[in-house]
Amino acid sequence: MKAEPTGPAGAATSQGGRTRNRRGEGALLRDEIVAAAERLLEREGNEEALTLRSVAREAGISAPSIYTHFADRDAIVEAVLDIAFERLRLLVLDAVGSVEDPVQRLLAGCHAYANFGMDDPARYRVLFGRQRADRPAIGSPKDIGELPEVWRHRLDSFMVLVDALAECVKAGRSGSTDPFADATAVWTSLHGAVTMRQFIPGFPLPPLGATVDDLVRRIALIRS
């Protein structure tokens, strides 16, 4: 039997001469593709910069190599979305983790969310500003459990907000009778505060920190 040609360090190559991935290296290449897409997004500041050619060039591979791991450009964007949602969740959890007072914990999580939007505008716009054909419709709390698993995971950072408001109610520090609905109103208002500052940067808005405090205290019916 004819021996299969080998590349550097004994790695098997295809008939066309391209070095094949060793066992287990496919996942590594996938991660490199996603990392390249993240770098492009951060550097260029908009999702339009993510094309198959640009991502492949950034990763140092040929464009056809991407198809082994991603069906198309949108699949790469979805992978970037997963990482960004997880990053947001960890930022919120880190902000609230050592805070004992329930009101201050709620405020800390909301400040972390707003700061993420202002500090990382490109990723924020990909998370909450792009049109999605499969976007989930959330009509009431019971619908959360009916969402696809990927969206349940992506909403984990929002559920931290819901839980924080529920703790305020439990401690007698909030007059909310529906923490889920009121947390949704807080989230919507925070999103508006962030996007107003991103898209109308010269408008004389009050400082973001003061805005977050005011919105949360009023909408979550916080009792001092």
Side-chain angles (χ1 to χ4, degrees):
M1 176 180 291
K2 184 178 180 180
E4 186 174 24
T6 59
T13 61
S14 66
Q15 293 297 322
R18 179 178 176 273
T19 302
R20 296 177 182 173
N21 291 325
R22 298 182 180 86
R23 185 181 300 276
E25 287 187 343
L28 179 61
L29 177 57
R30 184 185 189 281
D31 291 343
E32 290 173 352
I33 293 169
V34 176
E38 284 199 295
R39 290 195 300 272
L40 278 171
L41 183 63
E42 183 174 354
R43 188 167 67 241
E44 302 299 330
N46 63 80
E47 182 186 339
E48 287 68 32
L50 303 184
T51 66
L52 290 178
R53 288 184 179 276
S54 67
V55 172
R57 185 166 53 249
E58 181 73 20
I61 61 175
S62 64
S65 301
I66 291 178
Y67 290 111
T68 303
H69 304 279
F70 296 98
D72 50 30
R73 177 255 192 194
D74 285 345
I76 299 175
V77 174
E78 289 298 314
V80 172
L81 275 173
D82 287 336
I83 292 173
F85 271 111
E86 178 64 8
R87 180 174 297 152
L88 174 58
R89 184 184 74 89
L90 292 176
L91 283 172
V92 172
L93 286 176
D94 183 63
V96 306
S98 60
V99 183
E100 295 184 1
D101 181 83
V103 172
Q104 293 304 316
R105 186 160 57 245
L106 173 63
L107 289 169
C110 291
H111 279 286
Y113 172 90
N115 289 336
F116 172 82
M118 296 304 298
D119 295 341
D120 205 342
R123 285 188 179 86
Y124 187 85
R125 285 193 292 271
V126 172
L127 289 181
F128 300 115
R130 70 192 307 258
Q131 294 293 322
R132 298 182 178 87
D134 62 341
R135 60 187 182 274
I138 305 173
S140 64
K142 70 179 187 310
D143 292 336
I144 288 289
E146 299 170 5
L147 289 173
E149 182 179 355
V150 63
W151 274 105
R152 291 200 303 273
H153 180 67
R154 287 175 177 178
L155 290 174
D156 279 348
S157 58
F158 168 64
M159 294 310 297
V160 174
L161 171 59
V162 176
D163 293 341
L165 180 50
E167 287 298 317
C168 291
V169 174
K170 184 178 178 181
R173 305 284 300 281
S174 168
S176 173
T177 58
D178 189 341
F180 185 94
D182 290 335
T184 302
V186 169
W187 182 17
T188 303
S189 299
L190 292 176
H191 176 68
V194 169
T195 54
M196 279 285 287
R197 284 164 174 79
Q198 287 183 347
F199 294 106
I200 315 179
F203 193 82
L205 293 164
L208 180 61
T211 298
V212 171
D213 284 345
D214 181 58
L215 288 173
V216 173
R217 289 184 179 278
R218 286 193 293 109
I219 298 172
L221 304 175
I222 297 299
R223 297 166 177 161
S224 299

